[in-house]
Amino acid sequence: MDDEKPPARLQIVWVYPKGKGAGLEPTPPEQWASTKELKEQLASKNPEARANAIEQLVERLVDGAQNDVLEALGDLDSSVRTRALYAAQEIGLDLPPSRLSEVAISDQSSFARFLALDAVGGNREYQWVVERALNDPDKYVQAKAKEILERQKWADEARHPPPPPQTQQELQQQQSGAANQPVGIGV
């Protein structure tokens, strides 16, 4: 017998009127499971179960799932880490930029690095992470870093536009004004 799987047990019974069951579709356990049950699934040996559980917890708890997401970022399975990051970004969950920068720099999964870089990219304090990502081994992470830096450059220029070029007339006035100014010689 396989030690990985517990023995089968009856978990749910569907009751519906005779002849009316054809249009019913089963609901995945993640959707009807309690929050406690989902948190228990985070410790499952099955990475798919852990990934499903973190996605559902983020959707249900939003900010209340922050610690669970941070733990999931340390999961050995890359799909759990990336799905946790993706779910957090989709719902707008704020994660500490310091932790995101660690993932952006050192995660083995290029997709996790990409997602973390995207999340931390708007924080100027962590621009060094974006610049470092320009040398990432993955071309998509490099492209995301370039995109973020271009967006920051554009934002800087929008905040501090260069002065408009002077007209020829303004240049002539400046030159003629400078020519008419007395030049003093100091002793």
PDB file of all heavy atoms in Angstrom, residues 102-115:
ATOM      1  N   GLU A 102      14.469  39.527  -2.042  1.00  0.00           N
ATOM      2  CA  GLU A 102      15.183  38.248  -1.891  1.00  0.00           C
ATOM      3  C   GLU A 102      14.732  37.264  -2.963  1.00  0.00           C
ATOM      4  O   GLU A 102      15.562  36.588  -3.586  1.00  0.00           O
ATOM      5  CB  GLU A 102      14.904  37.639  -0.517  1.00  0.00           C
ATOM      6  CG  GLU A 102      15.534  38.376   0.640  1.00  0.00           C
ATOM      7  CD  GLU A 102      15.055  37.824   1.986  1.00  0.00           C
ATOM      8  OE1 GLU A 102      14.529  36.688   2.035  1.00  0.00           O
ATOM      9  OE2 GLU A 102      15.194  38.548   2.985  1.00  0.00           O
ATOM     10  N   VAL A 103      13.432  37.183  -3.171  1.00  0.00           N
ATOM     11  CA  VAL A 103      12.893  36.264  -4.183  1.00  0.00           C
ATOM     12  C   VAL A 103      13.350  36.707  -5.573  1.00  0.00           C
ATOM     13  O   VAL A 103      13.776  35.885  -6.386  1.00  0.00           O
ATOM     14  CB  VAL A 103      11.352  36.193  -4.100  1.00  0.00           C
ATOM     15  CG1 VAL A 103      10.781  35.354  -5.235  1.00  0.00           C
ATOM     16  CG2 VAL A 103      10.916  35.638  -2.751  1.00  0.00           C
ATOM     17  N   ALA A 104      13.281  38.019  -5.847  1.00  0.00           N
ATOM     18  CA  ALA A 104      13.663  38.540  -7.170  1.00  0.00           C
ATOM     19  C   ALA A 104      15.118  38.251  -7.495  1.00  0.00           C
ATOM     20  O   ALA A 104      15.474  38.071  -8.656  1.00  0.00           O
ATOM     21  CB  ALA A 104      13.393  40.045  -7.232  1.00  0.00           C
ATOM     22  N   ILE A 105      15.944  38.197  -6.491  1.00  0.00           N
ATOM     23  CA  ILE A 105      17.383  37.990  -6.709  1.00  0.00           C
ATOM     24  C   ILE A 105      17.772  36.513  -6.716  1.00  0.00           C
ATOM     25  O   ILE A 105      18.579  36.085  -7.529  1.00  0.00           O
ATOM     26  CB  ILE A 105      18.196  38.724  -5.623  1.00  0.00           C
ATOM     27  CG1 ILE A 105      18.080  40.223  -5.823  1.00  0.00           C
ATOM     28  CG2 ILE A 105      19.649  38.302  -5.615  1.00  0.00           C
ATOM     29  CD1 ILE A 105      18.646  41.029  -4.684  1.00  0.00           C
ATOM     30  N   SER A 106      17.166  35.728  -5.822  1.00  0.00           N
ATOM     31  CA  SER A 106      17.747  34.409  -5.594  1.00  0.00           C
ATOM     32  C   SER A 106      16.835  33.208  -5.811  1.00  0.00           C
ATOM     33  O   SER A 106      17.300  32.077  -5.672  1.00  0.00           O
ATOM     34  CB  SER A 106      18.295  34.345  -4.165  1.00  0.00           C
ATOM     35  OG  SER A 106      17.246  34.513  -3.230  1.00  0.00           O
ATOM     36  N   ASP A 107      15.568  33.404  -6.138  1.00  0.00           N
ATOM     37  CA  ASP A 107      14.706  32.236  -6.308  1.00  0.00           C
ATOM     38  C   ASP A 107      15.166  31.413  -7.509  1.00  0.00           C
ATOM     39  O   ASP A 107      15.606  31.969  -8.515  1.00  0.00           O
ATOM     40  CB  ASP A 107      13.247  32.653  -6.496  1.00  0.00           C
ATOM     41  CG  ASP A 107      12.294  31.504  -6.204  1.00  0.00           C
ATOM     42  OD1 ASP A 107      12.107  30.642  -7.083  1.00  0.00           O
ATOM     43  OD2 ASP A 107      11.765  31.471  -5.087  1.00  0.00           O
ATOM     44  N   GLN A 108      15.059  30.110  -7.405  1.00  0.00           N
ATOM     45  CA  GLN A 108      15.463  29.238  -8.508  1.00  0.00           C
ATOM     46  C   GLN A 108      14.500  29.318  -9.682  1.00  0.00           C
ATOM     47  O   GLN A 108      14.880  29.050 -10.811  1.00  0.00           O
ATOM     48  CB  GLN A 108      15.569  27.794  -8.019  1.00  0.00           C
ATOM     49  CG  GLN A 108      16.703  27.575  -7.052  1.00  0.00           C
ATOM     50  CD  GLN A 108      16.747  26.148  -6.534  1.00  0.00           C
ATOM     51  OE1 GLN A 108      15.809  25.373  -6.693  1.00  0.00           O
ATOM     52  NE2 GLN A 108      17.853  25.798  -5.904  1.00  0.00           N
ATOM     53  N   SER A 109      13.271  29.690  -9.411  1.00  0.00           N
ATOM     54  CA  SER A 109      12.262  29.781 -10.463  1.00  0.00           C
ATOM     55  C   SER A 109      12.314  31.154 -11.128  1.00  0.00           C
ATOM     56  O   SER A 109      12.167  32.186 -10.463  1.00  0.00           O
ATOM     57  CB  SER A 109      10.867  29.560  -9.868  1.00  0.00           C
ATOM     58  OG  SER A 109       9.872  29.981 -10.768  1.00  0.00           O
ATOM     59  N   SER A 110      12.505  31.170 -12.431  1.00  0.00           N
ATOM     60  CA  SER A 110      12.538  32.447 -13.148  1.00  0.00           C
ATOM     61  C   SER A 110      11.178  33.143 -13.085  1.00  0.00           C
ATOM     62  O   SER A 110      11.104  34.372 -13.038  1.00  0.00           O
ATOM     63  CB  SER A 110      12.969  32.255 -14.598  1.00  0.00           C
ATOM     64  OG  SER A 110      12.061  31.421 -15.285  1.00  0.00           O
ATOM     65  N   PHE A 111      10.098  32.372 -13.043  1.00  0.00           N
ATOM     66  CA  PHE A 111       8.776  32.973 -12.960  1.00  0.00           C
ATOM     67  C   PHE A 111       8.577  33.653 -11.605  1.00  0.00           C
ATOM     68  O   PHE A 111       8.021  34.743 -11.524  1.00  0.00           O
ATOM     69  CB  PHE A 111       7.691  31.932 -13.228  1.00  0.00           C
ATOM     70  CG  PHE A 111       6.319  32.522 -13.414  1.00  0.00           C
ATOM     71  CD1 PHE A 111       6.113  33.596 -14.268  1.00  0.00           C
ATOM     72  CD2 PHE A 111       5.240  32.015 -12.725  1.00  0.00           C
ATOM     73  CE1 PHE A 111       4.846  34.150 -14.438  1.00  0.00           C
ATOM     74  CE2 PHE A 111       3.967  32.554 -12.890  1.00  0.00           C
ATOM     75  CZ  PHE A 111       3.778  33.628 -13.746  1.00  0.00           C
ATOM     76  N   ALA A 112       9.051  33.026 -10.544  1.00  0.00           N
ATOM     77  CA  ALA A 112       8.969  33.645  -9.212  1.00  0.00           C
ATOM     78  C   ALA A 112       9.812  34.915  -9.178  1.00  0.00           C
ATOM     79  O   ALA A 112       9.378  35.940  -8.634  1.00  0.00           O
ATOM     80  CB  ALA A 112       9.423  32.660  -8.138  1.00  0.00           C
ATOM     81  N   ARG A 113      11.002  34.879  -9.778  1.00  0.00           N
ATOM     82  CA  ARG A 113      11.854  36.084  -9.823  1.00  0.00           C
ATOM     83  C   ARG A 113      11.146  37.192 -10.599  1.00  0.00           C
ATOM     84  O   ARG A 113      11.160  38.352 -10.196  1.00  0.00           O
ATOM     85  CB  ARG A 113      13.215  35.770 -10.456  1.00  0.00           C
ATOM     86  CG  ARG A 113      14.097  34.892  -9.605  1.00  0.00           C
ATOM     87  CD  ARG A 113      15.549  34.847 -10.087  1.00  0.00           C
ATOM     88  NE  ARG A 113      15.734  34.598 -11.493  1.00  0.00           N
ATOM     89  CZ  ARG A 113      15.796  33.399 -12.062  1.00  0.00           C
ATOM     90  NH1 ARG A 113      15.682  32.305 -11.330  1.00  0.00           N
ATOM     91  NH2 ARG A 113      15.982  33.282 -13.377  1.00  0.00           N
ATOM     92  N   PHE A 114      10.521  36.830 -11.716  1.00  0.00           N
ATOM     93  CA  PHE A 114       9.796  37.787 -12.545  1.00  0.00           C
ATOM     94  C   PHE A 114       8.672  38.457 -11.753  1.00  0.00           C
ATOM     95  O   PHE A 114       8.533  39.680 -11.747  1.00  0.00           O
ATOM     96  CB  PHE A 114       9.232  37.061 -13.771  1.00  0.00           C
ATOM     97  CG  PHE A 114       8.457  37.927 -14.713  1.00  0.00           C
ATOM     98  CD1 PHE A 114       9.093  38.523 -15.792  1.00  0.00           C
ATOM     99  CD2 PHE A 114       7.099  38.146 -14.536  1.00  0.00           C
ATOM    100  CE1 PHE A 114       8.379  39.322 -16.685  1.00  0.00           C
ATOM    101  CE2 PHE A 114       6.379  38.942 -15.416  1.00  0.00           C
ATOM    102  CZ  PHE A 114       7.024  39.535 -16.494  1.00  0.00           C
ATOM    103  N   LEU A 115       7.851  37.648 -11.077  1.00  0.00           N
ATOM    104  CA  LEU A 115       6.724  38.179 -10.317  1.00  0.00           C
ATOM    105  C   LEU A 115       7.198  39.063  -9.158  1.00  0.00           C
ATOM    106  O   LEU A 115       6.631  40.130  -8.906  1.00  0.00           O
ATOM    107  CB  LEU A 115       5.852  37.042  -9.786  1.00  0.00           C
ATOM    108  CG  LEU A 115       5.060  36.269 -10.829  1.00  0.00           C
ATOM    109  CD1 LEU A 115       4.417  35.027 -10.202  1.00  0.00           C
ATOM    110  CD2 LEU A 115       4.000  37.156 -11.471  1.00  0.00           C
TER     111      LEU A 115
END
